[in-house]
Coordinates of all heavy atoms in Angstrom, one line a residue:
M1 N 8.4 -4.3 -16.8 CA 8.9 -3.3 -15.9 C 9.6 -2.1 -16.6 O 9.5 -1.0 -16.2 CB 9.8 -4.0 -14.9 CG 10.0 -3.1 -13.6 SD 11.0 -4.0 -12.4 CE 9.8 -4.1 -11.1
L2 N 10.4 -2.4 -17.7 CA 11.0 -1.4 -18.4 C 10.1 -0.4 -19.0 O 10.3 0.8 -19.1 CB 12.0 -2.0 -19.4 CG 13.2 -2.7 -18.9 CD1 14.0 -3.4 -20.0 CD2 14.1 -1.8 -18.1
D3 N 9.0 -0.9 -19.6 CA 8.0 -0.1 -20.2 C 7.4 0.9 -19.2 O 7.2 2.1 -19.5 CB 6.8 -0.9 -20.8 CG 7.2 -1.7 -22.0 OD1 8.2 -1.4 -22.6 OD2 6.6 -2.7 -22.2
R4 N 7.2 0.4 -18.0 CA 6.6 1.3 -16.9 C 7.7 2.4 -16.6 O 7.3 3.5 -16.4 CB 6.3 0.4 -15.7 CG 5.5 1.2 -14.7 CD 5.0 0.3 -13.6 NE 3.7 0.8 -13.3 CZ 2.9 0.3 -12.4 NH1 3.2 -0.9 -11.9 NH2 1.8 0.9 -12.1
R5 N 8.9 2.0 -16.5 CA 10.0 2.9 -16.1 C 10.1 4.0 -17.2 O 10.1 5.2 -16.9 CB 11.3 2.2 -16.0 CG 12.4 3.2 -15.6 CD 13.7 2.5 -15.5 NE 13.7 1.6 -14.3 CZ 14.7 0.8 -14.0 NH1 15.7 0.7 -14.8 NH2 14.6 0.0 -13.0
A6 N 10.0 3.6 -18.5 CA 10.1 4.6 -19.6 C 8.9 5.6 -19.6 O 9.1 6.7 -19.9 CB 10.2 3.8 -20.9
S7 N 7.8 5.1 -19.2 CA 6.6 6.0 -19.1 C 6.7 7.0 -18.0 O 5.9 8.0 -18.0 CB 5.3 5.2 -19.1 OG 5.2 4.5 -17.8
Y8 N 7.6 6.9 -17.1 CA 7.8 7.8 -16.0 C 9.1 8.6 -16.0 O 9.6 9.0 -15.0 CB 7.5 7.1 -14.7 CG 6.1 6.7 -14.5 CD1 5.7 5.4 -14.8 CD2 5.2 7.6 -14.1 CE1 4.4 5.0 -14.7 CE2 3.8 7.2 -14.0 CZ 3.5 5.9 -14.2 OH 2.1 5.6 -14.1
D9 N 9.7 8.7 -17.2 CA 11.0 9.3 -17.3 C 10.9 10.8 -16.8 O 11.9 11.2 -16.1 CB 11.5 9.3 -18.7 CG 12.2 8.0 -19.1 OD1 12.6 7.3 -18.2 OD2 12.4 7.8 -20.3
D10 N 9.8 11.5 -17.0 CA 9.7 12.9 -16.6 C 9.7 12.9 -15.0 O 10.4 13.8 -14.5 CB 8.5 13.6 -17.1 CG 7.2 12.9 -16.8 OD1 7.2 11.6 -16.6 OD2 6.2 13.5 -16.8
L11 N 9.1 12.0 -14.4 CA 9.1 12.0 -12.9 C 10.5 11.6 -12.4 O 11.0 12.2 -11.4 CB 8.0 11.0 -12.4 CG 8.0 10.8 -10.9 CD1 7.7 12.1 -10.2 CD2 6.9 9.8 -10.6
I12 N 11.1 10.6 -13.0 CA 12.5 10.2 -12.6 C 13.4 11.4 -12.8 O 14.2 11.7 -11.9 CB 12.9 9.0 -13.4 CG1 12.1 7.8 -13.1 CG2 14.4 8.7 -13.2 CD1 12.2 6.6 -14.0
D13 N 13.3 12.1 -13.9 CA 14.1 13.3 -14.2 C 13.9 14.4 -13.1 O 14.8 15.0 -12.6 CB 13.8 13.9 -15.5 CG 14.3 13.1 -16.7 OD1 15.2 12.2 -16.5 OD2 13.8 13.3 -17.8
H14 N 12.6 14.6 -12.7 CA 12.3 15.5 -11.7 C 13.0 15.1 -10.3 O 13.5 16.0 -9.6 CB 10.8 15.6 -11.5 CG 10.4 16.5 -10.3 ND1 10.5 17.9 -10.4 CD2 9.9 16.1 -9.1 CE1 10.1 18.3 -9.2 NE2 9.8 17.3 -8.4
L15 N 12.9 13.8 -10.0 CA 13.5 13.4 -8.7 C 15.0 13.5 -8.7 O 15.6 14.0 -7.7 CB 13.1 11.9 -8.5 CG 11.7 11.7 -8.0 CD1 11.4 10.2 -8.0 CD2 11.4 12.3 -6.7
V16 N 15.6 13.2 -9.8 CA 17.1 13.4 -10.0 C 17.4 14.9 -9.8 O 18.4 15.2 -9.1 CB 17.6 12.8 -11.3 CG1 19.0 13.2 -11.6 CG2 17.4 11.3 -11.3
G17 N 16.6 15.8 -10.4 CA 16.9 17.2 -10.3 C 16.6 17.8 -9.0 O 17.2 18.9 -8.7
S18 N 15.7 17.2 -8.2 CA 15.3 17.9 -7.0 C 15.7 17.2 -5.7 O 15.4 17.7 -4.6 CB 13.8 18.0 -7.0 OG 13.2 16.7 -7.0
T19 N 16.5 16.1 -5.9 CA 17.0 15.3 -4.7 C 18.4 14.9 -5.0 O 18.9 15.2 -6.1 CB 16.1 14.1 -4.5 OG1 16.3 13.1 -5.5 CG2 14.6 14.4 -4.3
A20 N 19.0 14.2 -4.0 CA 20.3 13.7 -4.2 C 20.3 12.3 -4.8 O 21.4 11.7 -4.9 CB 21.0 13.7 -2.8
L21 N 19.2 11.9 -5.2 CA 19.1 10.5 -5.8 C 19.7 10.5 -7.2 O 19.6 11.4 -8.0 CB 17.6 10.1 -6.0 CG 16.8 9.9 -4.7 CD1 15.4 9.6 -5.0 CD2 17.4 8.8 -3.9
R22 N 20.4 9.4 -7.5 CA 20.9 9.1 -8.8 C 19.8 8.5 -9.6 O 18.8 8.1 -9.1 CB 22.1 8.2 -8.8 CG 23.3 8.8 -8.1 CD 24.5 7.9 -8.0 NE 24.1 6.7 -7.3 CZ 24.8 6.1 -6.3 NH1 25.9 6.6 -6.0 NH2 24.3 5.1 -5.7
R23 N 19.9 8.5 -10.9 CA 18.9 8.1 -11.8 C 18.4 6.6 -11.5 O 17.1 6.4 -11.4 CB 19.3 8.1 -13.3 CG 18.2 7.8 -14.2 CD 18.5 8.4 -15.6 NE 17.3 8.3 -16.4 CZ 16.3 9.0 -16.4 NH1 16.2 10.1 -15.6 NH2 15.2 8.8 -17.2
G24 N 19.2 5.7 -11.2 CA 18.8 4.3 -10.9 C 18.0 4.3 -9.6 O 17.0 3.6 -9.5
E25 N 18.5 5.1 -8.6 CA 17.8 5.1 -7.3 C 16.4 5.7 -7.5 O 15.4 5.3 -6.9 CB 18.6 5.9 -6.3 CG 19.9 5.3 -5.9 CD 20.8 6.2 -5.2 OE1 20.8 7.5 -5.4 OE2 21.6 5.7 -4.3
A26 N 16.3 6.8 -8.3 CA 15.1 7.5 -8.5 C 14.1 6.6 -9.2 O 12.9 6.5 -8.9 CB 15.3 8.8 -9.3
A27 N 14.6 5.8 -10.2 CA 13.7 4.9 -10.9 C 13.2 3.8 -9.9 O 12.0 3.4 -10.0 CB 14.5 4.2 -12.0
R28 N 14.0 3.3 -9.0 CA 13.6 2.3 -8.1 C 12.5 2.9 -7.1 O 11.5 2.2 -6.8 CB 14.7 1.7 -7.3 CG 15.5 0.7 -8.0 CD 16.5 -0.1 -7.1 NE 17.4 0.8 -6.5 CZ 18.6 1.3 -7.0 NH1 18.9 0.9 -8.2 NH2 19.4 2.0 -6.3
V29 N 12.7 4.1 -6.7 CA 11.7 4.8 -5.8 C 10.4 4.9 -6.6 O 9.3 4.6 -6.0 CB 12.2 6.2 -5.4 CG1 11.1 7.0 -4.7 CG2 13.4 6.1 -4.4
V30 N 10.4 5.3 -7.8 CA 9.2 5.5 -8.6 C 8.5 4.1 -8.7 O 7.3 4.0 -8.5 CB 9.4 6.1 -10.0 CG1 8.2 5.9 -10.9 CG2 9.8 7.5 -9.8
L31 N 9.2 3.1 -9.0 CA 8.6 1.7 -9.2 C 8.1 1.2 -7.8 O 7.0 0.6 -7.8 CB 9.7 0.8 -9.8 CG 10.0 1.0 -11.2 CD1 11.1 0.1 -11.7 CD2 8.8 1.0 -12.1
D32 N 8.8 1.5 -6.7 CA 8.3 1.1 -5.4 C 7.0 1.8 -5.1 O 6.1 1.2 -4.5 CB 9.4 1.4 -4.3 CG 10.5 0.4 -4.4 OD1 10.4 -0.7 -5.0 OD2 11.5 0.6 -3.7
V33 N 6.9 3.1 -5.3 CA 5.7 3.8 -5.1 C 4.5 3.3 -5.9 O 3.4 3.1 -5.4 CB 5.9 5.3 -5.3 CG1 4.6 6.1 -5.2 CG2 6.9 5.9 -4.2
L34 N 4.8 3.0 -7.2 CA 3.8 2.5 -8.1 C 3.3 1.1 -7.6 O 2.1 0.9 -7.6 CB 4.3 2.4 -9.5 CG 4.5 3.8 -10.2 CD1 5.2 3.6 -11.5 CD2 3.2 4.5 -10.3
A35 N 4.2 0.3 -7.1 CA 3.8 -1.0 -6.6 C 3.0 -0.9 -5.4 O 2.0 -1.6 -5.2 CB 5.1 -1.9 -6.4
Y36 N 3.3 0.1 -4.5 CA 2.6 0.3 -3.3 C 1.1 0.7 -3.6 O 0.2 0.2 -3.0 CB 3.2 1.4 -2.5 CG 2.4 1.8 -1.3 CD1 2.6 1.1 -0.1 CD2 1.6 2.9 -1.3 CE1 1.8 1.5 1.0 CE2 0.9 3.3 -0.2 CZ 1.0 2.6 1.0 OH 0.3 2.9 2.1
F37 N 0.9 1.5 -4.6 CA -0.4 1.9 -5.0 C -1.1 0.9 -5.8 O -2.3 1.1 -6.1 CB -0.4 3.3 -5.6 CG -0.2 4.4 -4.6 CD1 1.0 5.2 -4.7 CD2 -1.1 4.7 -3.6 CE1 1.2 6.2 -3.8 CE2 -0.8 5.6 -2.7 CZ 0.3 6.4 -2.7
D38 N -0.5 -0.1 -6.4 CA -1.1 -1.2 -7.1 C -1.7 -2.2 -6.1 O -2.5 -3.1 -6.6 CB -0.1 -1.9 -8.0 CG 0.1 -1.2 -9.3 OD1 -0.7 -0.3 -9.7 OD2 1.1 -1.5 -10.0
E39 N -1.4 -2.1 -4.9 CA -1.9 -3.1 -3.9 C -3.5 -3.0 -3.8 O -4.0 -1.9 -3.7 CB -1.3 -2.7 -2.5 CG -1.6 -3.6 -1.4 CD -0.9 -3.2 -0.1 OE1 -0.9 -2.1 0.3 OE2 -0.2 -4.1 0.4
T40 N -4.1 -4.1 -3.9 CA -5.6 -4.2 -3.8 C -6.0 -4.0 -2.3 O -5.2 -4.1 -1.4 CB -6.1 -5.5 -4.3 OG1 -5.7 -6.6 -3.3 CG2 -5.7 -5.9 -5.7
T41 N -7.3 -3.7 -2.2 CA -7.8 -3.6 -0.8 C -7.5 -4.8 0.0 O -7.1 -4.7 1.2 CB -9.3 -3.3 -0.9 OG1 -9.5 -2.0 -1.6 CG2 -9.9 -3.2 0.5
E42 N -7.8 -6.0 -0.6 CA -7.6 -7.2 0.1 C -6.1 -7.4 0.5 O -5.8 -7.8 1.7 CB -8.0 -8.4 -0.7 CG -9.5 -8.5 -0.9 CD -10.1 -7.5 -1.9 OE1 -9.3 -6.9 -2.7 OE2 -11.3 -7.4 -2.0
E43 N -5.2 -7.1 -0.4 CA -3.8 -7.2 -0.1 C -3.4 -6.2 1.0 O -2.6 -6.6 1.9 CB -2.9 -6.9 -1.3 CG -3.0 -8.0 -2.4 CD -2.5 -7.6 -3.7 OE1 -2.4 -6.4 -4.0 OE2 -2.2 -8.5 -4.5
F44 N -3.9 -5.0 1.0 CA -3.6 -4.0 2.0 C -4.1 -4.5 3.4 O -3.4 -4.4 4.4 CB -4.3 -2.7 1.7 CG -4.2 -1.7 2.8 CD1 -3.0 -1.0 3.0 CD2 -5.3 -1.4 3.6 CE1 -2.9 -0.1 4.1 CE2 -5.2 -0.5 4.7 CZ -4.0 0.2 4.9
V45 N -5.4 -5.0 3.4 CA -5.9 -5.5 4.7 C -5.1 -6.6 5.3 O -4.7 -6.6 6.5 CB -7.4 -5.9 4.5 CG1 -7.9 -6.6 5.8 CG2 -8.3 -4.7 4.2
R46 N -4.7 -7.6 4.5 CA -3.9 -8.7 4.9 C -2.5 -8.2 5.4 O -2.0 -8.7 6.5 CB -3.8 -9.7 3.8 CG -5.1 -10.5 3.6 CD -4.9 -11.6 2.5 NE -6.2 -12.1 2.2 CZ -6.8 -12.0 1.0 NH1 -6.2 -11.3 0.0 NH2 -8.0 -12.5 0.8
R47 N -1.9 -7.3 4.6 CA -0.6 -6.9 5.0 C -0.6 -6.1 6.3 O 0.2 -6.3 7.2 CB 0.0 -6.0 3.9 CG 1.4 -5.3 4.3 CD 1.9 -4.5 3.1 NE 1.1 -3.4 2.8 CZ 1.0 -2.2 3.4 NH1 1.7 -2.0 4.5 NH2 0.2 -1.3 3.0
R48 N -1.6 -5.2 6.4 CA -1.7 -4.4 7.7 C -2.0 -5.3 8.9 O -1.5 -5.0 10.0 CB -2.7 -3.3 7.5 CG -2.3 -2.1 6.7 CD -1.0 -1.4 7.2 NE -1.4 -0.7 8.4 CZ -0.6 -0.5 9.4 NH1 0.6 -1.0 9.5 NH2 -1.0 0.2 10.5
H49 N -2.8 -6.3 8.7 CA -3.2 -7.2 9.8 C -1.9 -7.9 10.2 O -1.6 -8.0 11.4 CB -4.2 -8.2 9.3 CG -4.6 -9.2 10.4 ND1 -4.0 -10.4 10.6 CD2 -5.6 -9.1 11.4 CE1 -4.5 -11.0 11.6 NE2 -5.5 -10.2 12.1
R50 N -1.1 -8.4 9.3 CA 0.2 -9.1 9.7 C 1.1 -8.1 10.4 O 1.7 -8.4 11.4 CB 0.9 -9.6 8.4 CG 0.4 -10.9 7.8 CD 1.3 -11.5 6.8 NE 1.7 -10.5 5.7 CZ 1.0 -10.3 4.6 NH1 -0.2 -10.9 4.4 NH2 1.4 -9.4 3.8
E51 N 1.2 -6.9 9.9 CA 2.1 -5.9 10.5 C 1.7 -5.5 11.9 O 2.5 -5.5 12.9 CB 2.2 -4.6 9.7 CG 2.9 -4.8 8.3 CD 2.7 -3.6 7.4 OE1 1.9 -2.6 7.8 OE2 3.3 -3.6 6.3
L52 N 0.4 -5.3 12.1 CA -0.1 -4.9 13.4 C -0.1 -6.0 14.4 O 0.2 -5.9 15.6 CB -1.5 -4.3 13.3 CG -1.6 -3.0 12.5 CD1 -3.0 -2.6 12.2 CD2 -0.9 -1.9 13.3
Q53 N -0.4 -7.2 13.9 CA -0.3 -8.4 14.7 C 1.1 -8.7 15.2 O 1.3 -9.0 16.3 CB -0.9 -9.6 14.0 CG -1.2 -10.8 14.8 CD -2.0 -11.9 14.0 OE1 -1.5 -12.3 13.0 NE2 -3.1 -12.3 14.5
A54 N 2.1 -8.5 14.3 CA 3.5 -8.7 14.6 C 3.9 -7.7 15.7 O 4.8 -8.0 16.5 CB 4.4 -8.6 13.4
G55 N 3.3 -6.5 15.7 CA 3.6 -5.5 16.7 C 2.9 -5.8 18.0 O 3.0 -5.0 18.9
G56 N 2.1 -6.9 18.1 CA 1.5 -7.2 19.4 C 0.1 -6.7 19.6 O -0.5 -6.9 20.6
A57 N -0.5 -6.1 18.6 CA -1.9 -5.6 18.7 C -2.9 -6.7 18.7 O -2.7 -7.8 18.1 CB -2.2 -4.6 17.6
L58 N -4.0 -6.5 19.4 CA -5.1 -7.5 19.4 C -6.0 -7.3 18.2 O -6.1 -6.2 17.7 CB -5.9 -7.3 20.7 CG -5.1 -7.5 22.0 CD1 -6.0 -7.2 23.2 CD2 -4.6 -8.9 22.1
N59 N -6.6 -8.4 17.8 CA -7.5 -8.3 16.6 C -8.6 -7.2 16.8 O -8.9 -6.5 15.8 CB -8.2 -9.6 16.3 CG -7.3 -10.5 15.5 OD1 -6.3 -10.0 14.8 ND2 -7.6 -11.8 15.4
S60 N -9.1 -7.0 18.0 CA -10.2 -6.0 18.1 C -9.6 -4.6 17.8 O -10.3 -3.8 17.2 CB -10.7 -6.1 19.6 OG -9.7 -5.9 20.5
V61 N -8.4 -4.4 18.1 CA -7.8 -3.1 17.9 C -7.3 -3.0 16.4 O -7.5 -2.0 15.7 CB -6.6 -2.8 18.8 CG1 -5.8 -1.6 18.4 CG2 -7.0 -2.8 20.2
I62 N -6.8 -4.2 15.9 CA -6.3 -4.2 14.5 C -7.4 -3.9 13.5 O -7.2 -3.0 12.6 CB -5.7 -5.6 14.2 CG1 -4.4 -5.8 15.0 CG2 -5.5 -5.8 12.7 CD1 -3.9 -7.2 14.9
F63 N -8.6 -4.5 13.6 CA -9.6 -4.3 12.6 C -10.2 -2.9 12.7 O -10.5 -2.3 11.7 CB -10.7 -5.4 12.7 CG -10.2 -6.7 12.3 CD1 -10.1 -7.8 13.2 CD2 -9.8 -6.9 11.0 CE1 -9.6 -9.0 12.8 CE2 -9.3 -8.2 10.6 CZ -9.2 -9.2 11.5
E64 N -10.3 -2.3 13.9 CA -10.7 -0.9 14.0 C -9.7 0.0 13.4 O -10.1 0.9 12.7 CB -10.8 -0.6 15.5 CG -12.0 -1.2 16.2 CD -13.4 -0.6 15.9 OE1 -13.4 0.5 15.4 OE2 -14.4 -1.3 16.2
R65 N -8.4 -0.3 13.5 CA -7.4 0.6 13.0 C -7.4 0.5 11.4 O -7.3 1.5 10.7 CB -6.0 0.2 13.5 CG -5.0 1.1 13.0 CD -3.8 1.2 13.9 NE -2.7 2.0 13.3 CZ -1.5 2.0 13.7 NH1 -1.2 1.3 14.8 NH2 -0.6 2.7 13.1
I66 N -7.5 -0.7 10.9 CA -7.6 -0.9 9.5 C -8.8 -0.2 8.9 O -8.7 0.5 7.9 CB -7.6 -2.4 9.1 CG1 -6.2 -3.0 9.5 CG2 -7.8 -2.6 7.6 CD1 -6.2 -4.6 9.3
A67 N -9.9 -0.3 9.5 CA -11.1 0.4 9.1 C -10.9 1.9 9.0 O -11.4 2.5 8.1 CB -12.3 0.0 10.0
A68 N -10.2 2.4 10.0 CA -9.9 3.8 10.0 C -8.9 4.3 9.0 O -8.9 5.4 8.5 CB -9.4 4.2 11.4
E69 N -8.0 3.4 8.6 CA -6.9 3.7 7.6 C -7.4 3.6 6.2 O -7.0 4.4 5.3 CB -5.7 2.7 7.8 CG -4.9 3.0 9.0 CD -3.8 1.9 9.2 OE1 -3.7 1.0 8.3 OE2 -3.1 2.1 10.2
L70 N -8.4 2.7 5.9 CA -8.8 2.5 4.5 C -9.3 3.8 3.8 O -8.9 4.0 2.6 CB -9.9 1.4 4.5 CG -9.4 0.0 4.5 CD1 -10.5 -1.0 4.7 CD2 -8.6 -0.3 3.3
P71 N -10.1 4.6 4.4 CA -10.6 5.8 3.7 C -9.4 6.8 3.3 O -9.7 7.6 2.4 CB -11.5 6.5 4.7 CG -11.9 5.4 5.6 CD -10.7 4.5 5.7
H72 N -8.3 6.6 3.8 CA -7.2 7.5 3.6 C -6.2 7.0 2.5 O -5.2 7.6 2.3 CB -6.4 7.8 4.9 CG -7.3 8.4 5.9 ND1 -7.8 9.7 5.8 CD2 -7.9 7.9 7.0 CE1 -8.6 10.0 6.8 NE2 -8.7 8.9 7.5
R73 N -6.5 5.8 1.9 CA -5.7 5.3 0.8 C -5.8 6.2 -0.4 O -6.8 7.0 -0.5 CB -6.2 3.9 0.5 CG -6.1 2.9 1.6 CD -4.8 2.2 1.8 NE -4.4 1.5 0.6 CZ -3.2 1.2 0.2 NH1 -2.2 1.6 1.0 NH2 -2.9 0.6 -0.9
A74 N -4.9 6.1 -1.3 CA -4.9 7.0 -2.5 C -6.2 6.9 -3.3 O -6.8 7.8 -3.7 CB -3.7 6.7 -3.4
V75 N -6.7 5.6 -3.4 CA -8.0 5.4 -4.0 C -8.8 4.6 -3.0 O -8.6 3.4 -2.8 CB -7.9 4.6 -5.3 CG1 -9.3 4.3 -5.9 CG2 -7.1 5.3 -6.4
A76 N -9.6 5.3 -2.2 CA -10.3 4.7 -1.1 C -11.3 3.7 -1.6 O -12.1 4.0 -2.5 CB -11.0 5.8 -0.3
P77 N -11.3 2.5 -1.0 CA -12.3 1.5 -1.4 C -13.7 1.9 -0.7 O -13.7 2.7 0.2 CB -11.7 0.2 -0.8 CG -11.0 0.7 0.4 CD -10.4 2.0 0.0
P78 N -14.7 1.1 -1.0 CA -16.0 1.4 -0.3 C -15.8 1.0 1.2 O -14.9 0.2 1.5 CB -17.0 0.4 -1.0 CG -16.2 -0.5 -1.8 CD -14.8 0.1 -2.1
Q79 N -16.5 1.6 2.0 CA -16.4 1.3 3.4 C -16.7 -0.1 3.7 O -17.7 -0.7 3.2 CB -17.4 2.2 4.3 CG -17.2 2.0 5.7 CD -18.0 3.1 6.5 OE1 -18.7 3.9 5.9 NE2 -17.9 3.0 7.8
L80 N -15.8 -0.8 4.5 CA -16.0 -2.2 4.8 C -16.3 -2.3 6.3 O -15.7 -1.6 7.1 CB -14.7 -3.0 4.4 CG -14.3 -3.0 3.0 CD1 -12.9 -3.6 2.8 CD2 -15.3 -3.7 2.1
S81 N -17.2 -3.2 6.6 CA -17.5 -3.5 8.0 C -16.4 -4.3 8.6 O -15.5 -4.9 8.0 CB -18.8 -4.3 8.1 OG -18.6 -5.6 7.6
L82 N -16.3 -4.3 10.0 CA -15.3 -5.1 10.7 C -15.4 -6.6 10.3 O -14.4 -7.3 10.1 CB -15.4 -4.9 12.2 CG -15.2 -3.5 12.7 CD1 -15.4 -3.4 14.2 CD2 -13.9 -2.9 12.3
R83 N -16.7 -7.0 10.1 CA -16.9 -8.4 9.7 C -16.3 -8.7 8.3 O -15.6 -9.7 8.1 CB -18.4 -8.7 9.7 CG -18.7 -10.2 9.3 CD -20.1 -10.5 9.4 NE -20.3 -11.9 9.1 CZ -21.3 -12.4 8.4 NH1 -22.3 -11.6 8.0 NH2 -21.4 -13.7 8.2
Q84 N -16.5 -7.8 7.4 CA -15.9 -7.9 6.0 C -14.4 -7.9 6.1 O -13.7 -8.7 5.4 CB -16.4 -6.8 5.1 CG -17.8 -6.9 4.7 CD -18.3 -5.7 4.0 OE1 -18.1 -4.6 4.5 NE2 -18.9 -5.9 2.8
L85 N -13.8 -7.1 7.0 CA -12.3 -7.1 7.1 C -11.8 -8.4 7.7 O -10.8 -9.0 7.2 CB -11.9 -6.0 8.1 CG -12.1 -4.5 7.5 CD1 -11.8 -3.5 8.6 CD2 -11.3 -4.3 6.3
R86 N -12.5 -9.0 8.6 CA -12.2 -10.3 9.2 C -12.2 -11.4 8.1 O -11.4 -12.2 8.0 CB -13.1 -10.6 10.4 CG -12.8 -9.9 11.6 CD -13.6 -10.4 12.8 NE -13.5 -9.5 13.9 CZ -14.4 -8.5 14.1 NH1 -15.4 -8.3 13.4 NH2 -14.2 -7.7 15.2
R87 N -13.3 -11.3 7.3 CA -13.4 -12.3 6.2 C -12.3 -12.2 5.2 O -11.9 -13.2 4.7 CB -14.8 -12.2 5.5 CG -15.9 -12.5 6.5 CD -17.2 -12.5 5.8 NE -17.4 -13.9 5.3 CZ -18.4 -14.3 4.6 NH1 -19.3 -13.4 4.2 NH2 -18.5 -15.5 4.2
I88 N -11.8 -11.0 4.9 CA -10.6 -10.9 4.0 C -9.4 -11.6 4.6 O -8.7 -12.3 3.9 CB -10.3 -9.4 3.8 CG1 -11.4 -8.8 2.9 CG2 -9.0 -9.2 3.1 CD1 -11.3 -7.3 2.7
V89 N -9.2 -11.4 5.9 CA -8.0 -12.0 6.5 C -8.2 -13.5 6.7 O -7.3 -14.3 6.4 CB -7.7 -11.4 7.9 CG1 -6.6 -12.1 8.6 CG2 -7.3 -9.9 7.6
Y90 N -9.4 -13.9 7.2 CA -9.5 -15.3 7.6 C -10.4 -16.2 6.6 O -10.5 -17.4 6.8 CB -10.2 -15.4 9.0 CG -9.3 -14.8 10.1 CD1 -9.7 -13.7 10.7 CD2 -8.1 -15.4 10.4 CE1 -8.8 -13.1 11.7 CE2 -7.2 -14.8 11.3 CZ -7.6 -13.7 12.0 OH -6.8 -13.2 12.9
G91 N -11.0 -15.5 5.6 CA -11.8 -16.3 4.7 C -13.2 -16.5 5.0 O -13.8 -16.2 6.0

């Protein structure tokens, strides 16, 4: 984790200079953002399914919404069918 932080010192410096964040806070923000973008498609689908289900959404709505969100990820995965999304969640 320290190696990753050192490789982003310029970004951390930029955040410290352009926001009210202190260096430690800026480093945590950078690491959190990097971790978010390290999430695989399968991890994203499972996480969003849990979040939407916890919010009371029905599976028919959940899988449509996840399918609509996937192309807008930083690195969009190939288009997945609703069946493929269900298989990621339920195996």
Side-chain angles (χ1 to χ4, degrees):
M1 194 176 245
L2 290 176
D3 292 337
R4 191 169 214 176
R5 180 180 295 173
S7 66
Y8 291 99
D9 277 342
D10 58 334
L11 177 56
I12 294 167
D13 291 341
H14 173 74
L15 287 173
V16 169
S18 64
T19 69
L21 294 174
R22 292 180 300 230
R23 187 157 187 81
E25 295 168 328
R28 280 193 303 277
V29 168
V30 168
L31 292 175
D32 284 347
V33 169
L34 291 172
Y36 175 83
F37 285 115
D38 277 347
E39 186 175 50
T40 67
T41 299
E42 290 79 8
E43 291 167 338
F44 172 78
V45 169
R46 289 183 188 113
R47 177 178 59 80
R48 286 299 288 146
H49 182 269
R50 282 191 309 272
E51 291 170 354
L52 295 168
Q53 196 172 49
L58 300 174
N59 274 342
S60 57
V61 173
I62 289 173
F63 291 115
E64 290 284 345
R65 181 154 175 196
I66 292 172
E69 290 176 357
L70 279 171
H72 302 287
R73 300 276 299 156
V75 178
Q79 186 172 1
L80 300 173
S81 69
L82 298 180
R83 181 175 185 219
Q84 288 172 308
L85 294 173
R86 286 185 192 95
R87 291 187 90 185
I88 289 172
V89 173
Y90 297 114

